[in-house]
Amino acid sequence: MAYGPAPESSAEARDWIKTRSVIPHFIGGKFPAPEGETTEVYNPATDEVLTRVALGTEAEVDAAVKAARAALPKWTALAGHERATYLYALARHVQKRERFLAVLETLDNGKTIRETRDIDIPLVARHFYHHAGWAEMIESDFPGLSPVGVCGQIIPWNFPLLMLAWKVAPALAAGNTVVLKPADLTPLTAMAFAEICVEIGLPAGVVNIVQGDGATGAALAGHSDVNKLAFTGSTDVGRVLRRQLAGSGKRLSLELGGKSPFIVFEDADLDAAVEGVVDAIWFNQGEVCCAGSRILVQEGVAERFFAKLDARLQTLRVGDPLDKTMDMGAVVSRKQLARITALLAQGEAEGATLRRAPVILPETGAFCAPGYFSGTAPAHTVSQTEIFGPVATTLTFRTPDEAVTLANDTRYGLSASVWSENINRAIETAAAVKAGVVWINATNIFDAGAPFGGMRESGFGREGGRLGMLEYLTRPQIARKPRLEPSAPDIAPFTGKADRPAIDITAKLYIGGKQVRADGGQSYTVMGKNGAIGQAAMANRKDIRNAVEAAAKAGGWGGVTAHNRAQVLYFLAENLEQRRAEFVAALTAAGTPKPGDEVEAAIRRAFWAAAQADKFDGSVTATKSRHVTMTVNEPFGVMGIVAPDEAPLLGLLALILPAVAMGNRVVAVASQSHPLVGARLYQVLETSDVPAGVINLVTGERDVLAKTLAEHDEVAALWYCGSASGAAMVETASVGNLKPVWAETGVRDWQTPDPDLLRKATQGKTIWIPYGA
Ligand code: NAD
């Protein structure tokens, strides 16, 4: 059966565009004439020029940040309920204009009206409603937290208004003000949103929009009065921003690219899985960061599955995105089309076979026939690089273990889709894949209440739900003394025994459950309040690599029950208690204030971490009907920890214990100035049933060791207590695998447990499980 054309009218949206010959900025509640250059805005489905858009200058970015700063005090001071009323109004006004906004988005982006009308815009409204709720509950549900301040937000072109909603709604609900930069290819719906802000009477300056390209984005990221930057876009630009913000103290969240596995087991409902592929890689022309772009099929069903997929490919319709019967519209630009085409040619050149839908593409516009590669190998460029177009790669696997290995054979970790009628297998696979979002027997479902975001090089931070709100809230801190650079260590050749008068201790390193000598054989003199009190091993890069390797091998720790981890930590607490006098003496010799109090707090912290091990829970969220959507707190894996000089025992344990309680393995650098206190923990660890490799302790030059940890790809997260310049250094060095870095540059009071550390020691994984026939 052939479909006749069923075009949606674009008259209203076109009339709106006609009266806007240039899309301006929205600053302080006004639409000032652009100062800088403008560029054309195209309809990628027809190549027609729709209008022009301003390219924001530094001065315009500055004006927008000033407007956001000026609006902040009053907006923050509003009661949650009052902010909620604005968010409800935004939701309602978006809903009233759903059809108009859907058409405008389709004209600007090339995506089908079916998707903008049924998915994008309803989700935008849902996002504002959901966050109106969080605003309402802010005082009761987030006690003691306050807004971060002025938030810079940069979004891509693939879901223009939806990405705006994901950024603006939580920021406003939490009491922040924003400066948002849309993608220059798709500025129209952001402009329409600005007009809705005026219409509902949102106070001027709470939302500011600066149009522009990468240069405008860079100016926003670099502005000294922005407190947080939230970015969605490519991993390459994510890296640029990580470097640019290093040492600035600004909060950063990154939602980046993906190369997500779509795993079909032999017991899957194959027809449902084939429909899943349609939604995974041909949805939104494949321009989806969480697209299921690597299809992995179990060998026994591969032939049947691909026969069904080929049959489905025959029926796909590609063409005028305003036609309600189309499955796919145009990609966003001719430039993007050229990029996709070049990658497809490369795939073929490397030996893969490209199968495509037999569609006749329109003569004008940036259209791309959907399809998939067969015969791809994991090392092929197209298996590793995000195509960001409607073409998947395919591979077969024999066993569930092989499926997981292939699924994780990527630098990304945004999402995964698992198809199996066996719930045990599906959940086991969901637990094993490295991805922030996993859909079981489904794909590409989103909801404002379900946290979304990546692991590994797909970025860090979550959008949606409670975790998303926490990205825009902070715990107010009292002013702190900055941490200083430690003085250069006095290196003496290591002789294996104390070799100076008054020195009675020579400490080694603790790696893989054993005390080992430093690789370079060097040690340094440790000063106490009355002169030299001992020597500590001087670890080098090789020692850090050995420690990371030992930690990597101890992966079983993340899999033992939380109860088991608690038992080990209780035992550690008891052993600390037994050595109380010894630690008090060590701290006294080191010359730290109130040694008795510090040891007492350290013992209590161990009990606290043990107690938390089985209580810091994830959540189950009400999202769509007939779905269980759960977010579990997963450990990162291997974490690097660089302990503070103040409170050399308590500071070290305050960091190690929550990380380990949550299932991480750690490589910790003890205080450079007081390493002997940390080294006394070796015996405690040896007698506490802590499995080898779970806690590794090294001593030496803080920033040399911190840099090696920051650069190491196996280290998945880093906590650094050190100087401001050290923070800049580790943040810059972390760009390799884009690990999240928490840098604490102010001297801190470690006496009270910090529950935020439990969250910082985990990453949310959202698992969607549909039920019913
Ligand atoms: P992009 O990274 O080139 O651009 C994204 C945004 O960043 C745009 O607004 C752009 O103007 C701006 N930008 C570019 N260079 C900049 C710089 N140096 N400093 C500051 N801002 C800069 O990405 P794109 O091509 O627009 O979008 C596609 C990419 O986005 C894909 O890789 C996709 O996977 C990713 N994406 C990720 C998610 C997610 O949630 N993880 C969502 C959508 C898209």
Side-chain angles (χ1 to χ4, degrees):
M1 188 185 80
Y3 293 94
E8 174 73 43
S9 166
S10 60
E12 188 193 357
R14 285 183 181 281
D15 286 349
W16 182 90
I17 292 169
K18 257 188 235 145
T19 55
R20 287 157 183 84
S21 56
V22 59
I23 302 299
H25 311 300
F26 177 52
I27 298 175
K30 301 207 165 57
F31 298 93
E35 288 171 3
E37 292 178 19
T38 61
T39 188
E40 284 169 335
V41 179
Y42 290 90
N43 176 347
T46 59
D47 293 335
E48 66 180 310
V49 175
L50 295 170
T51 177
R52 301 186 70 82
V53 62
L55 296 175
T57 61
E58 269 185 38
E60 287 165 325
V61 167
D62 184 52
V65 173
K66 286 203 169 94
R69 177 63 60 193
L72 185 67
K74 274 198 183 150
W75 182 249
T76 301
L78 288 183
H81 171 71
E82 289 175 88
R83 283 203 297 273
T85 57
Y86 288 108
L87 287 155
Y88 285 125
L90 288 171
R92 273 199 300 274
H93 282 240
V94 165
Q95 237 171 358
K96 269 200 277 181
R97 283 187 185 64
E98 265 187 8
R99 194 51 64 99
F100 162 74
L101 291 169
V103 174
L104 198 60
E105 198 80 299
T106 288
L107 286 174
D108 204 9
N109 170 281
K111 58 169 72 189
T112 64
I113 187 72
R114 232 162 36 89
E115 288 175 7
T116 55
R117 182 197 62 193
D118 297 344
I119 299 171
D120 292 39
I121 309 302
L123 279 174
V124 171
R126 158 91 182 122
H127 222 78
F128 280 104
Y129 276 122
H130 178 79
H131 285 90
W134 282 126
E136 194 75 51
M137 294 157 63
I138 197 105
E139 290 93 355
S140 60
D141 274 50
F142 300 98
L145 298 183
S146 46
V148 178
V150 172
C151 299
Q153 307 183 314
I154 300 174
I155 56 173
W157 42 256
N158 56 348
F159 291 88
L161 193 59
L162 186 56
M163 290 299 107
L164 175 150
W166 282 25
K167 296 277 178 285
V168 171
L172 262 49
N176 303 277
T177 56
V178 306
V179 177
L180 175 114
K181 192 204 80 66
D184 56 329
L185 288 175
T186 52
L188 299 187
T189 45
M191 170 72 183
F193 178 78
E195 292 175 2
I196 291 176
C197 291
V198 173
E199 203 172 275
I200 67 143
L202 188 73
V206 170
V207 169
N208 304 274
I209 295 174
V210 182
Q211 305 284 0
D213 55 13
T216 313
L220 178 57
H223 197 291
S224 59
D225 204 26
V226 165
N227 302 107
K228 172 190 163 80
L229 187 75
F231 172 77
T232 297
S234 60
T235 295
D236 287 347
V237 174
R239 280 209 167 82
V240 169
L241 293 171
R242 170 67 291 179
R243 269 199 205 94
Q244 190 182 355
L245 264 63
S248 66
K250 289 175 192 165
R251 285 264 288 264
L252 176 65
S253 53
L254 299 174
E255 300 278 7
L256 308 175
K259 192 78 189 175
S260 299
F262 184 100
I263 310 167
V264 184
F265 285 104
E266 59 194 6
D267 54 10
D269 173 342
L270 293 190
D271 292 315
V274 164
E275 277 318 301
V277 171
V278 177
D279 291 336
I281 188 66
W282 299 324
F283 163 60
N284 205 42
Q285 298 68 243
E287 298 165 319
V288 184
C289 50
C290 49
S293 53
R294 286 185 299 135
I295 302 174
L296 311 175
V297 186
Q298 197 157 13
E299 258 180 22
V301 293
E303 207 177 309
R304 270 199 301 141
F305 175 81
F306 286 114
K308 283 173 187 282
L309 191 62
D310 284 336
R312 184 65 177 91
L313 201 55
Q314 307 299 312
T315 65
L316 285 181
R317 290 168 54 84
V318 183
D320 177 6
L322 281 170
D323 183 333
K324 287 174 254 184
T325 68
M326 287 300 158
D327 296 307
M328 269 183 47
V331 298
V332 74
S333 66
R334 286 196 173 264
K335 195 168 154 209
Q336 178 67 6
L337 181 61
R339 193 182 158 268
I340 297 169
T341 311
L343 271 166
L344 299 187
Q346 187 165 357
E348 289 188 291
E350 288 178 9
T353 306
L354 182 55
R355 294 171 193 272
R356 301 187 96 169
V359 286
I360 299 167
L361 299 177
E363 277 165 18
T364 55
F367 289 90
C368 182
Y372 69 90
F373 274 113
S374 58
T376 31
H380 282 167
T381 309
V382 286
S383 299
Q384 296 295 335
T385 310
E386 190 178 33
I387 296 175
F388 225 56
V391 178
T393 61
T394 58
L395 276 176
T396 58
F397 64 87
R398 291 201 181 118
T399 62
D401 281 351
E402 193 189 353
V404 169
T405 305
L406 289 172
N408 287 338
D409 180 22
T410 166
R411 59 201 178 100
Y412 294 112
L414 189 53
S415 67
S417 186
V418 181
W419 296 78
S420 168
E421 293 297 295
N422 177 340
I423 190 74
N424 294 330
R425 171 160 302 161
I427 294 186
E428 188 176 18
T429 309
V433 292
K434 300 253 188 224
V437 183
V438 184
W439 292 286
I440 291 177
N441 295 329
T443 192
N444 279 338
I445 326 176
F446 310 96
D447 186 76
F452 181 93
M455 296 181 179
R456 309 211 271 193
E457 291 179 39
S458 292
F460 45 80
R462 293 291 176 267
E463 294 187 299
R466 178 181 293 275
L467 288 182
M469 281 298 290
L470 289 171
E471 298 286 336
Y472 286 95
L473 289 163
T474 184
R475 211 167 281 282
Q477 306 195 328
I478 37 161
R480 298 196 186 144
K481 267 200 328 219
R483 281 211 179 84
L484 305 174
E485 309 288 344
S487 47
D490 173 9
I491 301 170
F494 187 74
T495 60
K497 59 182 170 53
D499 58 358
R500 294 183 187 193
I503 294 179
D504 63 354
I505 296 170
T506 308
K508 297 183 185 171
L509 310 174
Y510 188 69
I511 295 176
K514 292 196 191 75
Q515 297 196 35
V516 293
R517 288 208 176 142
D519 169 68
Q522 285 187 321
S523 59
Y524 68 104
T525 303
V526 181
M527 305 303 288
K529 66 172 180 219
N530 300 320
I533 53 168
Q535 282 192 294
M538 183 83 162
N540 62 16
R541 289 186 172 79
K542 176 93 188 327
D543 295 305
I544 291 283
R545 285 200 292 269
N546 290 344
V548 172
E549 201 182 315
K553 281 195 194 136
W557 181 248
V560 306
T561 65
H563 170 72
N564 285 351
R565 289 199 296 271
Q567 295 294 294
V568 170
L569 293 176
Y570 280 127
F571 196 20
L572 190 148
E574 282 172 25
N575 287 331
L576 266 179
E577 170 73 66
Q578 280 184 9
R579 291 171 185 259
R580 181 189 287 266
E582 192 186 310
F583 278 103
V584 172
L587 287 168
T588 308
T592 59
K594 300 195 182 159
D597 291 358
E598 183 171 341
V599 176
E600 171 65 19
I603 294 166
R604 288 194 181 197
R605 195 61 46 86
F607 281 109
W608 175 85
Q612 291 288 348
D614 62 352
K615 292 171 197 69
F616 182 70
D617 286 328
S619 58
V620 175
T621 315
T623 53
K624 313 262 182 212
S625 60
R626 296 156 82 86
H627 277 86
V628 174
T629 310
M630 58 182 188
T631 303
V632 291
N633 296 322
E634 280 204 351
F636 282 98
V638 178
M639 285 182 65
I641 286 177
V642 181
D645 275 335
E646 77 270 7
L649 176 68
L650 178 59
L652 179 63
L653 286 175
L655 298 171
I656 290 176
L657 293 170
V660 168
M662 293 297 103
N664 297 285
R665 293 91 73 194
V666 302
V667 175
V669 179
S671 153
Q672 178 177 329
S673 315
H674 307 296
L676 300 179
V677 180
R680 284 201 175 267
L681 284 170
Y682 303 168
Q683 282 138 19
V684 177
L685 296 173
E686 279 165 353
T687 52
S688 301
D689 292 348
V690 178
V694 170
I695 298 177
N696 304 278
L697 280 170
V698 294
T699 54
E701 239 178 320
R702 181 186 75 194
D703 286 354
V704 172
L705 304 179
K707 182 159 188 276
T708 311
L709 283 171
E711 286 168 345
H712 203 300
D713 276 351
E714 189 73 41
V715 176
L718 179 66
W719 293 351
Y720 170 83
C721 292
S723 63
S725 66
M729 180 272 293
V730 289
E731 285 176 351
T732 306
S734 71
V735 293
N737 68 350
L738 280 171
K739 57 177 71 66
V741 174
W742 171 53
E744 180 70 302
T745 56
V747 172
R748 184 179 168 130
D749 175 11
W750 297 94
Q751 283 293 322
T752 0
D754 180 354
D756 293 348
L757 293 181
L758 300 166
R759 188 170 62 82
K760 287 196 175 86
T762 55
Q763 44 191 349
K765 176 187 271 183
T766 301
I767 304 177
W768 290 75
I769 311 169
Y771 59 87

